Amino acid sequence: MSAPDLLRLLAERDVHLTVSVDGRLEIDAPTDALEAEELAFLREHRAEIIGGLLAEPAAHCAACGSPSWWRATGAGWRCSHCEPRPQPFTGTSLTLAGGQWAPGTVPPAAIPTTVADLLELHGPTVAGCRTADILAEADDDDLPELRDRDALDGFARALAADRRVRPLPDPALSPLGRLALELGDDPAELRAWLDRSTVGRALRVRLEHGAVDRCLLALRADPDGPLLLLLARTLDGNPGARA
């Protein structure tokens, strides 16, 4: 039996061979899935198998029929369906046959995806924008594709470039400078206004010690709410409460 024949046979038994970033052959297999003779063959032909795994794929995945592959730098190719690429992803992707699955196989049904699912998956910000603002611009049919962080990043940057969404204030600015920019105010005037009261002064100190991001998100979600109340409730972990 040749190495490619064995790899196809193992794939049918849910045995997956990959190359680690340091060049080792890794085996992912159910318990007792490999026979002693097969393990001996893998050891004997390790170099040939590693070379085959590192070579650019020329066919669909033998296990599922997917045309899509990915590899981390210095590691072997992996099927995008059998082993979804990690997020964030830095490496190389490859799609064969114009994205068509192998004859006799079908792509998996799309995972039902909601905005709430994507907010939980990706967090409150993406590419310097509020994630909720980005998702509000997406069609429902496009939401499953935005499970991919790279796709969501690219969508966010395109929207920002077209001025369809407004990025959050530049993190390079001071905390009060960012908040003032969001409010359309002057940082010095905002500081003076906050310092007029004991509560405002305490909030300003907390803002200047790294809590401004949550406040910017809350302010973007409720731009017309009372500012001191919004800041206090956000910093205390209850941004959705209302008077």
Side-chain angles (χ1 to χ4, degrees):
M1 180 182 292
S2 68
D5 288 339
L6 178 59
L7 294 182
R8 281 191 291 270
L9 176 64
L10 295 180
E12 292 173 359
R13 294 183 352 224
D14 201 26
V15 176
H16 301 286
L17 304 182
T18 57
V19 182
S20 67
V21 293
D22 57 359
R24 294 181 295 107
L25 182 64
E26 295 184 337
I27 302 174
D28 180 14
T31 304
D32 299 328
L34 284 167
E35 299 178 2
E37 295 82 358
E38 293 168 339
L39 281 171
F41 186 95
L42 293 176
R43 294 190 186 99
E44 181 180 352
H45 297 274
R46 180 184 291 110
E48 177 187 352
I49 292 169
I50 288 176
L53 292 172
L54 290 175
E56 187 172 290
H60 296 80
C61 173
C64 71
S66 169
S68 300
W69 301 85
W70 66 273
R71 61 174 293 185
T73 303
W77 289 93
R78 303 175 186 234
C79 169
S80 296
H81 174 61
C82 297
E83 299 180 77
R85 62 185 186 180
Q87 297 298 335
F89 174 66
T90 55
T92 305
S93 299
L94 174 69
T95 301
L96 305 173
Q100 298 298 309
W101 282 58
T105 64
V106 294
I111 301 173
T113 304
T114 66
V115 168
D117 294 332
L118 295 177
L119 286 171
E120 181 177 358
L121 176 64
H122 295 301
T125 61
V126 56
C129 301
R130 197 171 73 111
T131 308
D133 294 340
I134 301 303
L135 297 177
E137 297 292 328
D139 295 331
D140 289 345
D141 292 343
D142 295 331
L143 293 181
E145 297 180 9
L146 298 181
R147 296 183 72 89
D148 186 311
R149 181 70 183 205
D150 290 343
L152 184 62
D153 283 345
F155 184 49
R157 293 191 181 96
L159 290 175
D162 290 343
R163 298 186 178 181
R164 291 171 58 189
V165 297
R166 183 164 54 92
L168 293 166
D170 189 346
L173 298 173
S174 69
L176 277 186
R178 297 180 71 196
L179 185 61
L181 182 61
E182 183 69 22
L183 292 166
D185 201 352
D186 177 78
E189 292 181 1
L190 176 61
R191 181 188 181 98
W193 180 78
L194 288 170
D195 284 349
R196 288 177 187 171
S197 68
T198 302
V199 172
R201 191 178 306 110
L203 291 172
R204 190 256 304 162
V205 171
R206 295 175 69 181
L207 286 169
E208 291 180 331
H209 284 79
V212 70
D213 288 316
R214 283 183 290 145
C215 295
L216 288 170
L217 291 168
L219 184 59
R220 185 67 61 90
D222 184 16
D224 298 322
L227 181 58
L228 278 182
L229 187 60
L230 181 144
L231 294 177
R233 286 178 169 164
T234 300
L235 293 173
D236 290 337
N238 189 19
R242 292 184 176 273

